Amino acid sequence: MDDRRGGMAAETTVVIVGAGPAGMSLANFLQRRGVGCVVLEARDREYVEGRQRAGVIDHRAEEIFGEFGLAEQVAGGAPLETLLEIRVGGVPRLLDVPGLAGGRPSRLVPQQLLVQRLIRSFLDGGGDLRFGVGDVTPRDLDRERPRVTYGDGELSCSYVAGCDGFHGVSRRSVPDGVLTTYSFDHGIGWYTVLAESPAPRYPLMAVSRHGFAAQFARGPHASRFYLQHPTGEDPRQWPDEYTWEQLRLRLGDDGLRDGRITGREVVDMRSFVAEPMAYGKMFLVGDAAHIITPMGAKGMNLAIADAYLLARAIVAAERDGDVSGLAGYSSACLRRTWDYQEFSRWYTEMMHFAGDESDAFRRRLALARLDRLFSSPPAAAAFADLMAGTAV
Ligand code: FAS
């Protein structure tokens, strides 16, 4: 129900704060089920549609989009994940992740493309998405009709969806003492480099005594590289020759072709979870509630899954008066969030400690984990199931 006074809705059913993967997935899901919503985004459209971060939607996420008739629009024709190459000390081994997951391939969809397509779909469906909105403030969250004020406007609603990421206002709107938060610093820094270097034949993860590195396709003539770097050091100051030398040593590829570096970013490997993911009529979605390392490519996929659970819960409450989904939203999301946090940590340890000669025992444990992936079909299937996205 949208009540437009003076052209801009003053009342709606759901106010969504943030137009990233979480906010735009939720907005599209609600729109497809006839539930009114307004999206308030602090930045402009160009910024939001240009943020290059994640690169994969897992198979479960694609099924979720399919349930709302969006799979073709957001992922149609995107390259399917094939074999994963893992190199230890330059020795290559291939893992048929989709096959081990029972034929459930992920798709290579860069985050900025996903967000662009979701924004276009929402606006084409007549959606109310407001960019460049300042001072968004959720209020009266513990009342039947919360309010969200912003700039010179105000919206009254039935629910607020905090989809505004780790640094957003929503989580900070929860009164002190309500949330329990968990933080973990993995003690590993990643340097991500976008370069005009031919894409690898398969997604490539590698570790050697020089450290961890990875190489993923970003189109046929570009690659995104990740290199572990000593914490406390800024690798963006490294001379490019040194970066390419480190990549050749870690990937075990003397013939790696270098190219113009077009993007540099450092990522601190840290994890965070806030519990519960709901307060009154506000529900936290995606990075507003949890952040996870990129190992296993789960951050964006968790955001999509949270949005899916919240959309289903709101539709059930609005259509049938069934509030059980809303009551169970936080615990359902947190079960999955912690499952992925454990997976991401396990994967991070395996792929980083296997090259760390400073702790011989921990290195041997990591090498044993890697060997199990290639020697035990049940262990490989469990890995592939998590990569494909577990049931939500
Ligand atoms: P987002 O942060 O994406 O979106 C939040 C939105 O809210 C933004 O548009 C912001 O402008 C807006 N906002 C913030 N405050 C606001 C306010 N007060 N009012 C209104 N709007 C506000 N995930 C993967 O799955 N795979 C990867 O490989 C991967 N790599 C990553 C690499 C990097 C460098 C980083 C930083 C993250 C990576 N991630 C990866 C995780 C990442 O993609 C997130 O999980 C994903 O962006 C989460 O989406 P949202 O929850 O929508 O939050």
Side-chain angles (χ1 to χ4, degrees):
M1 161 208 48
D2 276 357
D3 169 6
R4 292 174 181 277
R5 291 186 210 122
M8 302 284 260
E11 282 200 327
T12 188
T13 305
V14 186
V15 172
I16 297 173
V17 185
M24 291 319 301
S25 298
L26 179 61
N28 276 277
F29 297 159
L30 293 172
Q31 185 181 58
R32 297 272 163 138
R33 295 291 184 267
V35 175
C37 62
V38 174
V39 182
L40 301 177
E41 164 57 50
R43 307 296 292 264
D44 62 27
R45 183 168 182 176
E46 185 188 357
Y47 168 86
V48 172
E49 292 190 342
R51 287 172 99 204
Q52 296 200 36
R53 289 171 131 188
V56 171
I57 66 165
D58 65 28
H59 188 270
R60 184 67 193 107
E62 184 175 5
E63 286 178 332
I64 287 173
F65 285 121
E67 205 174 301
F68 294 87
L70 285 161
E72 187 54 33
Q73 254 171 292
V74 301
L80 286 172
E81 177 205 25
T82 54
L83 301 176
L84 172 64
E85 182 173 353
I86 295 183
R87 282 184 205 156
V88 179
V91 177
R93 287 185 284 189
L94 293 174
L95 210 55
D96 175 9
V97 179
L100 286 161
R104 292 184 289 148
S106 296
R107 282 206 190 258
L108 307 181
V109 180
Q111 177 166 331
Q112 66 274 22
L113 266 187
L114 175 67
V115 173
Q116 287 167 23
R117 292 169 179 169
L118 288 170
I119 287 174
R120 189 178 318 127
S121 167
F122 184 65
L123 294 177
D124 287 352
D128 185 343
L129 166 49
R130 304 176 194 180
F131 290 105
V133 175
D135 304 326
V136 172
T137 309
R139 299 175 188 281
D140 302 338
L141 297 172
D142 53 354
R143 297 204 184 148
E144 195 47 33
R145 291 283 297 170
R147 292 177 302 124
V148 178
T149 59
Y150 61 94
D152 57 1
E154 176 172 312
L155 279 163
S156 135
C157 57
S158 300
Y159 313 93
V160 178
C163 303
D164 46 353
F166 182 68
H167 300 290
V169 65
S170 298
R171 193 178 67 250
R172 288 186 279 119
S173 303
V174 179
D176 289 345
V178 171
L179 294 178
T180 301
T181 60
Y182 304 83
S183 293
F184 184 76
D185 181 344
H186 297 262
I188 295 170
W190 265 15
Y191 177 34
T192 82
V193 169
L194 198 57
E196 291 166 356
S197 171
R201 186 166 178 212
Y202 304 116
L204 170 56
M205 310 276 263
V207 65
S208 78
R209 60 186 181 79
H210 301 278
F212 166 85
Q215 181 183 6
F216 298 101
R218 283 293 182 270
H221 309 297
S223 292
R224 178 174 285 281
F225 295 96
Y226 294 91
L227 298 97
Q228 170 186 8
H229 72 82
T231 47
E233 193 177 308
D234 185 351
R236 288 167 294 193
Q237 309 309 319
W238 290 352
D240 287 355
E241 301 73 50
Y242 178 75
T243 300
W244 289 110
E245 178 204 2
Q246 283 301 309
L247 281 169
R248 290 188 182 100
L249 285 170
R250 299 173 191 206
L251 296 174
D253 180 355
D254 293 339
L256 177 71
R257 274 185 33 206
D258 57 27
R260 189 167 64 94
I261 291 180
T262 55
R264 302 163 204 269
E265 196 167 351
V266 288
V267 181
D268 288 336
M269 297 282 262
R270 59 200 169 108
S271 294
F272 172 86
V273 179
E275 294 186 4
M277 290 175 53
Y279 170 73
K281 299 296 282 300
M282 181 170 75
F283 300 87
L284 299 176
V285 189
D287 277 22
H290 43 68
I291 56 170
I292 191 169
T293 78
M295 283 304 287
K298 288 305 172 192
M300 183 166 72
N301 291 293
L302 269 175
I304 295 164
D306 292 350
Y308 172 65
L309 286 172
L310 184 56
R312 282 191 4 179
I314 290 174
V315 169
E318 288 298 297
R319 263 196 199 154
D320 317 323
D322 172 3
V323 296
S324 61
L326 293 173
Y329 167 76
S330 178
S331 57
C333 289
L334 286 168
R335 184 194 59 74
R336 184 177 171 76
T337 297
W338 283 112
D339 187 24
Y340 281 8
Q341 290 285 0
E342 192 285 328
F343 170 60
S344 177
R345 174 63 187 167
W346 173 91
Y347 203 176
T348 300
E349 285 179 347
M350 180 172 77
M351 288 309 304
H352 291 75
F353 294 172
D356 181 355
E357 294 186 328
S358 68
D359 184 329
F361 183 77
R362 204 170 65 168
R363 179 166 177 267
R364 296 300 304 206
L365 290 182
L367 289 169
R369 264 186 204 171
L370 269 163
D371 285 344
R372 190 185 305 135
L373 271 190
F374 292 94
S375 59
S376 158
F383 172 80
D385 180 48
L386 282 154
M387 291 291 279
T390 53
V392 62

